[in-house]
Amino acid sequence: MIFSRVAWKLLPAAPAFVILTAWFVYWLVVRPPPSVIPSIADVVRTGAELAFGGRLLGDFIASMGRLLGGVAFGIATGMIMGFVAGVCRPVATFLNPLVVFFNAISGIVWLPLVIGWLGVGNALATFLIWNTVFFIIFQNTVLGIQLVPEVLEQGVRALGGGRWETIRTVTLPGALPYILSGVRSGLGFGWRALIAAELVGATTGLGQLIFSGSEYHRADIIIFGALLIGAIAMLMDRWLLAPIERRTVVRWGLVAASRGR
Amino acid sequence: MSRLRVLLPFGLLIAFWWAIKSGFDISDKLLVAPPQVWSSFRVLIGHGILAEYVSTSLSMIGIATLVSFAIGVPLGFAVGTNRYAARALEGFLRYLQGISGIAWLPLAILWFGFTHTTTLAIVIYTLIVPIIFNTMTGVRAIPENYILALQSLGASRLRIVTDVYFPGALPSIVVGTRLGMGYGWRALIASEMLVRQGGLGDLIFGARTFGQIDRIMVGMVIIGTLYIVVDRLLVQPVETMTLARWGVLRK
Amino acid sequence: MSSDKIVVSGFRHFFQSDSGPVQATGEIDVTIREGEVVTLVGPSGCGKTTLLKAIAGFIMPTEGQILCDGKPVRGPGRERGVVFQELAILPWRTVRRNIAHGLEIARVGKAEREQTVERLIGLMGLVGFEDRYPHELSGGMRQRVAVARTWAADPDVILMDEPFAAVDAMTRLTLQEELGRLCATTHKTVFFITHSVEEAVFLGDRVLVMTKRPGTIKATLDVPRHGKGGRDWDSFTGDPEMRAISEQVMHLVHAERV
């Protein structure tokens, strides 16, 4: 009874345990060259060196700065454009084909072209993140506004509210859960776009850290970096975005449009 | 009418692009005019170069989709029908979703070199996680009564898999595959840029090194168009069909 | 004359929860004879569904045993068909294919299968809806399909868990009459649980009344059947004998109000 309950609690750790064990055994038995498969100890040591040497903090700050810049810019522009398109149908009709097309090439596909405009660095990475996030926020905002029940808007109108009054008190709050859920998945996609952008489009950042690992044949750096990238993504989602989304969505009894997948 | 609705925005966009190019006298190293893109497109078509790049990319995404489907769906079933496996793997899969395929690219290059294997590994990794995940959620969303009712009709375990689990999870599997193909296509382009062994990513990144903006733009248009064509003409109809048939329009 | 089909003896069940075992039912002894329609009425949460699930073989009783034809129940089997309260017909099969499902599983030949399905489509008033999907049907129609599917598989015993609870009141009256006719013409052994007193008396040859949780069988009442075929609501409501039995059951159930 107690044993099975403890086992149930520990079960989520099982995959990590299995992989670490397999890795450890493989390394003991086969002794592969560390440039291809390093030992667990090497990865831990490298992680500590990077962390205490200051390199990691610099890369982390560089990545986060770009992420925040690109995402903030994407949210602002996506919301404004999405709002206009959501309230005014002809605009939505006009923009729709363009959105479908540019969404299909959003993000990393722009790199070869934009690298010539902005050069390698912060501006390029920020642009690529903005380009990824924009469409997610835009589409969720339009959807959210279009799905606000008309009765609610009519209700405020019947009480004598003007157009702006209606938008402020009904349309925006009604669309907010969708927008927030867009922010959540947008940040996830932005993070992936950032790593891709940094592989070639930057000289600092976590993406560059792992890419330099491949140039110097340092698998330990790459593995440590990739695991860290996943951990940051998970922590951001769990501690920052899920609670925000949950709070508004649950309080208003609404269901989110899309899940961050 | 609907054709106009599609063509007009693009027409205006091209006019705007052309106006900026000639109005501000922008260098060909930064932006080229629409006719240059068109003539570059015709050159690439004429020499069969484009066909080669396109077929490389399409066969890569095709192979990756087949492999991910063949491995991901059974795995999703295994995880979805067993609550211990589900508990063990759900968090792990979520974690993996946070590490984009492209973040493993440097390691894949160390392991497999600058080869198609590297690209395939990255694209399969990107594609398979949403397929496993959606198969799993699809299986777990099937009402228990369906299974109990079939057991009372004397169904074997295999019968329950073919008659309940598979059809029940199918809409979710299709959605997962569609999502995965979207992510996989982007990962493919990114990987091709770095691996440089053919494919549309190679085309546009290679053109960069020679400053051929016209080629880059042709490549971008092809990448977008192919994605839309595959998604709208191939995958979406399957999705609509299963969702409508099942009467579970969940969106 | 008729033999014992289902024998439940010394049954008690507990569920595992985070704070330890929770008692779902008291000690229950029930015998259902062959060809008999036994209805069980009791307050919600008394454990009637637990008992039905145990007879179906979906759960193993914590104590006691359940015999079907003298053999202990070890799991679900095709000799014990179940009709659920919520929708349990498959949304991706048409009406016809849902009804045929049990026969497909039993590898019944095509000709015989089609014949059986046609007969049940006729009996359950589903003519014209054969090729519809469940989502295109009303709630009452779907439950008709569920009943037809179970009958088509031709089990010895049919277990029904409040099958009409989610159907609107008008349709329910029709379904109850149809079910009564079906039971009378096919001579199946039926165990039917409900929280509606009238339904229990209307359908049952025998009505069992359960106490509140943890439930035990509090009383058993025989409902005499006059003439052949099922009952109909018009003569049922006008029959003083039936009214007396209903009132008696009502008193027994009311004493169990939570």
Side-chain angles (χ1 to χ4, degrees):
Chain A
M1 229 9 245
I2 288 170
F3 172 76
S4 74
R5 212 174 301 166
V6 171
W8 182 252
K9 282 247 166 67
L10 290 178
L11 216 45
F17 181 75
V18 169
I19 289 174
L20 287 177
T21 311
W23 180 2
F24 182 70
V25 171
Y26 181 84
W27 206 82
L28 270 187
V29 175
V30 183
R31 293 269 165 190
S35 64
V36 178
I37 296 182
S39 68
I40 299 177
D42 277 346
V43 173
V44 173
R45 199 178 308 121
T46 304
E49 274 168 20
L50 287 169
F52 295 115
R55 160 105 208 249
L56 195 61
L57 189 66
D59 284 330
F60 176 75
I61 291 173
S63 288
M64 277 302 172
R66 290 166 193 152
L67 181 72
L68 287 181
V71 169
F73 197 39
I75 291 173
T77 51
M79 264 183 75
I80 293 170
M81 294 274 286
F83 184 74
V84 173
V87 173
C88 181
R89 285 241 169 209
V91 176
T93 316
F94 177 81
L95 286 180
N96 188 45
L98 295 177
V99 168
V100 169
F101 179 76
F102 283 99
N103 188 28
I105 55 166
S106 66
I108 197 71
V109 181
W110 283 91
L111 186 123
L113 184 65
V114 178
I115 210 170
W117 298 349
L118 302 174
V120 167
N122 284 336
L124 177 63
T126 309
F127 172 86
L128 295 177
I129 295 167
W130 165 78
N131 193 272
T132 305
V133 175
F134 172 81
F135 291 99
I136 298 167
I137 303 287
F138 175 83
Q139 283 170 330
N140 273 40
T141 308
V142 173
L143 188 72
I145 288 176
Q146 285 177 351
L147 287 181
V148 173
E150 223 167 299
V151 234
L152 297 180
E153 290 171 353
Q154 284 161 354
V156 177
R157 293 246 163 158
L159 292 171
R163 187 172 166 81
W164 175 240
E165 185 75 10
T166 315
I167 287 172
R168 195 175 60 81
T169 57
V170 180
T171 316
L172 274 182
L176 195 61
Y178 288 90
I179 299 172
L180 285 175
S181 132
V183 169
R184 185 178 173 192
S185 36
L187 201 71
F189 283 101
W191 181 244
R192 290 171 217 196
L194 168 78
I195 301 302
E198 284 178 346
L199 287 184
V200 265
T203 50
T204 54
L206 295 171
Q208 191 55 41
L209 174 75
I210 56 174
F211 192 59
S212 69
S214 107
E215 283 184 333
Y216 301 123
H217 290 264
R218 289 285 302 272
D220 49 343
I221 294 184
I222 305 175
I223 292 174
F224 173 77
L227 295 179
L228 182 68
I229 285 167
I232 294 172
M234 199 154 82
L235 290 179
M236 276 196 306
D237 193 67
R238 185 163 298 175
W239 298 108
L240 199 70
L241 294 158
I244 296 176
E245 186 180 296
R246 213 176 308 134
R247 189 162 300 171
T248 55
V249 172
V250 171
R251 184 184 297 167
W252 295 334
L254 296 165
V255 183
S258 68
R259 309 254 138 221
R261 236 178 236 157
Chain B
M1 186 60 210
S2 74
R3 186 169 294 176
L4 180 72
R5 210 177 280 165
V6 174
L7 289 182
L8 182 72
F10 284 106
L12 285 176
L13 182 77
I14 291 169
F16 179 68
W17 159 22
W18 207 338
I20 287 194
K21 164 72 184 164
S22 45
F24 291 90
D25 193 27
I26 294 170
S27 143
D28 277 354
K29 290 259 175 266
L30 293 178
L31 190 69
V32 294
Q36 284 165 275
V37 174
W38 177 245
S39 65
S40 174
F41 174 70
R42 292 183 47 179
V43 168
L44 284 170
I45 286 270
H47 293 77
I49 303 169
L50 193 61
E52 202 183 313
Y53 282 109
V54 167
S55 67
T56 304
S57 286
L58 283 183
S59 57
M60 292 293 249
I61 192 84
I63 294 169
T65 306
L66 288 179
V67 172
S68 307
F69 197 85
I71 301 174
V73 172
L75 216 59
F77 270 116
V79 179
T81 50
N82 180 324
R83 66 194 196 98
Y84 295 100
R87 172 145 177 100
L89 285 174
E90 193 170 341
F92 181 65
L93 287 173
R94 275 188 200 286
Y95 177 66
L96 284 189
Q97 282 190 313
I99 312 177
S100 55
I102 218 67
W104 292 115
L105 186 62
L107 192 65
I109 290 174
L110 275 191
W111 286 357
F112 310 119
F114 291 88
T115 61
H116 282 319
T117 314
T118 296
T119 304
L120 266 182
I122 298 307
V123 179
I124 290 171
Y125 169 88
T126 310
L127 247 155
I128 205 166
V129 177
I131 291 182
I132 298 175
F133 215 90
N134 279 272
T135 307
M136 178 184 90
T137 37
V139 167
R140 293 175 79 194
I142 294 172
E144 200 198 2
N145 278 356
Y146 292 180
I147 295 142
L148 295 181
L150 241 70
Q151 285 177 344
S152 293
L153 292 172
S156 62
R157 191 154 172 79
L158 178 70
R159 188 92 204 186
I160 288 171
V161 169
T162 58
D163 288 13
V164 180
Y165 283 132
F166 190 72
L170 193 60
S172 196
I173 295 173
V174 174
V175 169
T177 310
R178 187 175 174 206
L179 277 177
M181 284 177 82
Y183 305 159
W185 183 243
R186 204 150 280 143
L188 173 71
I189 303 298
S191 176
E192 284 170 349
M193 284 189 201
L194 280 144
V195 172
R196 304 295 310 278
Q197 293 288 326
L200 290 161
D202 186 12
L203 172 74
I204 58 174
F205 204 72
R208 166 81 259 149
T209 28
F210 301 105
Q212 297 163 303
I213 303 294
D214 48 347
R215 272 195 184 200
I216 297 178
M217 294 183 81
V218 170
M220 289 171 73
V221 172
I222 298 291
I223 289 169
T225 313
L226 277 180
Y227 174 75
I228 293 170
V229 166
V230 170
D231 186 60
R232 294 284 157 115
L233 264 53
L234 230 69
V235 189
Q236 207 181 24
V238 179
E239 183 182 295
T240 323
M241 210 172 66
T242 50
L243 289 182
R245 167 62 63 85
W246 273 220
V248 278
L249 290 163
R250 276 179 277 201
K251 289 193 166 175
Chain C
M1 179 189 87
S2 52
S3 57
D4 291 346
K5 197 73 190 173
I6 299 281
V7 178
V8 179
S9 50
F11 174 84
R12 280 216 302 172
H13 196 74
F14 293 85
F15 285 117
Q16 296 300 339
S17 81
D18 285 345
S19 51
V22 174
Q23 188 168 8
T25 70
E27 193 172 321
I28 295 176
D29 298 282
V30 172
T31 301
I32 303 170
R33 287 185 293 273
E34 191 171 349
E36 187 183 30
V37 179
V38 174
T39 55
L40 173 67
V41 59
S44 51
C46 71
K48 47 188 192 298
T49 299
T50 308
L51 176 62
L52 182 133
K53 281 188 169 171
I55 299 175
F58 300 148
I59 54 175
M60 287 295 125
T62 320
E63 286 174 23
Q65 69 169 350
I66 296 168
L67 302 176
C68 175
D69 278 330
K71 289 187 286 284
V73 167
R74 292 226 165 77
R78 57 171 317 228
E79 71 286 352
R80 282 161 287 128
V82 183
V83 180
F84 294 86
Q85 175 182 351
E86 302 106 55
L87 194 60
I89 53 171
L90 301 178
W92 45 85
R93 283 180 167 241
T94 59
V95 167
R96 194 193 298 278
R97 295 207 58 215
N98 260 300
I99 298 177
H101 209 160
L103 301 167
E104 281 177 32
I105 291 168
R107 298 178 198 281
V108 171
K110 194 168 180 234
E112 192 189 336
R113 200 164 72 206
E114 278 174 3
Q115 203 184 343
T116 310
V117 171
E118 283 312 314
R119 189 168 53 85
L120 277 155
I121 284 173
L123 273 175
M124 293 309 294
L126 289 163
V127 177
F129 295 93
E130 294 91 338
D131 297 313
R132 298 280 183 89
Y133 285 91
H135 69 96
E136 300 170 311
L137 304 175
S138 66
M141 281 298 201
R142 292 180 198 166
Q143 280 309 56
R144 284 194 165 106
V145 178
V147 170
R149 174 176 72 176
T150 304
W151 250 268
D154 198 26
D156 294 341
V157 181
I158 293 172
L159 309 166
M160 305 180 92
D161 184 2
E162 303 196 38
F164 308 138
V167 175
D168 70 272
M170 298 296 284
T171 313
R172 193 182 305 145
L173 295 179
T174 320
L175 286 172
Q176 285 160 344
E177 288 185 344
E178 282 174 358
L179 181 66
R181 263 199 302 280
L182 199 62
C183 291
T185 50
T186 53
H187 306 291
K188 292 283 177 203
T189 310
V190 176
F191 181 60
F192 186 108
I193 66 179
T194 176
H195 57 247
S196 152
V197 169
E198 293 222 298
E199 186 171 70
V201 178
F202 180 78
L203 288 170
D205 295 322
R206 203 146 55 94
V207 179
L208 309 179
V209 182
M210 241 172 132
T211 64
K212 60 178 179 260
R213 177 202 191 115
T216 54
I217 305 292
K218 177 182 180 179
T220 303
L221 294 91
D222 286 313
V223 188
R225 185 179 293 278
H226 305 295
K228 286 188 172 169
R231 303 184 177 106
D232 65 90
W233 280 109
D234 282 342
S235 50
F236 180 83
T237 41
D239 186 340
E241 192 185 5
M242 292 297 151
R243 210 179 307 152
I245 297 172
S246 297
E247 265 168 33
Q248 212 180 333
V249 176
M250 190 72 83
H251 281 301
L252 289 162
V253 170
H254 262 209
E256 297 302 326
R257 276 181 296 184
V258 193

